[in-house]
Amino acid sequence: METYGILDEARKFTWDSFNQNIKNKPFHIFHTCLFVAYSEQLILQYPELNQSVVRLASIMHDIARPDEDLGITKRIGKVPPHHFNGARISKEFLEKHNYPYADQVSEAILCHGGKFECKTIEAQAIYDCQRLSDSSPAMHSWFIQKDYLQNEIK
């Protein structure tokens, strides 16, 4: 499958996963879009990155977050941290689609949680995107707005 085909399939698969958790769906979409924007900037700055690995990992990095948020998972019966489950889910998905760098995408997703050493520059890029997203003014304004709206509704 050509790169754009697998990107489209991964995007649809990820959005379908987010639809499982209506409560946090807007946040997950916002965070992932911001994350993808940061990854695109890193791709432009560092041409040595495998672009398809970084793009797929950025799209799928929180694929298991809805399961973790709900405290359930139909896939394995218990809830590990989302980066563990996300690495496994992404690898299975990409192998099913015969993507040749499924291991690298899976490793990058595993590393974005900050618990493992990044062994590739692609994994480091995904880790950095997470740190950038976590500290961005856009994410901070999201939380302020969310808290404000929740307080106003009460």
Side-chain angles (χ1 to χ4, degrees):
M1 181 177 287
E2 77 279 358
T3 300
Y4 288 107
I6 191 65
L7 286 171
D8 288 339
E9 291 295 318
R11 191 176 296 111
K12 181 181 180 326
F13 184 67
T14 301
W15 286 177
D16 288 348
S17 174
F18 290 169
N19 282 328
Q20 295 175 25
N21 185 352
I22 301 303
K23 177 182 174 192
N24 290 321
K25 179 181 169 184
F27 168 78
H28 292 306
I29 291 172
F30 180 75
H31 167 70
T32 300
C33 289
L34 185 62
F35 198 104
V36 168
Y38 284 129
S39 73
E40 289 298 323
Q41 287 299 310
L42 290 176
I43 286 169
L44 290 173
Q45 291 177 358
Y46 300 98
E48 63 272 19
L49 290 169
N50 182 322
Q51 294 179 13
S52 69
V53 168
V54 173
R55 286 186 174 121
L56 284 164
S58 69
I59 289 167
M60 300 183 81
H61 80 281
D62 275 351
I63 189 81
R65 179 61 89 170
D67 290 342
E68 184 180 69
D69 288 351
L70 291 172
I72 60 168
T73 180
K74 297 172 191 151
R75 296 178 182 99
I76 62 171
K78 62 179 182 172
V79 185
H82 76 281
H83 51 280
F84 286 105
N85 205 16
R88 184 187 55 76
I89 292 167
S90 66
K91 185 174 180 180
E92 289 172 1
F93 172 84
L94 294 169
E95 285 176 344
K96 178 180 156 191
H97 288 84
N98 298 314
Y99 179 70
Y101 304 108
D103 286 336
Q104 289 91 330
V105 172
S106 177
E107 179 187 336
I109 290 172
L110 183 64
C111 290
H112 95 273
K115 306 233 185 265
F116 295 93
E117 179 184 349
C118 299
K119 296 178 183 170
T120 66
I121 58 172
E122 291 78 15
Q124 184 65 51
I126 296 302
Y127 173 83
D128 291 345
C129 288
Q130 183 67 47
R131 304 292 81 70
L132 288 166
S133 177
D134 289 347
S135 64
S136 77
M139 289 305 290
H140 290 275
S141 67
W142 172 271
F143 287 116
I144 291 167
Q145 175 187 4
K146 182 180 171 195
D147 290 343
Y148 175 78
L149 290 174
Q150 286 178 345
N151 288 332
E152 287 296 305
I153 292 170
K154 290 179 183 177

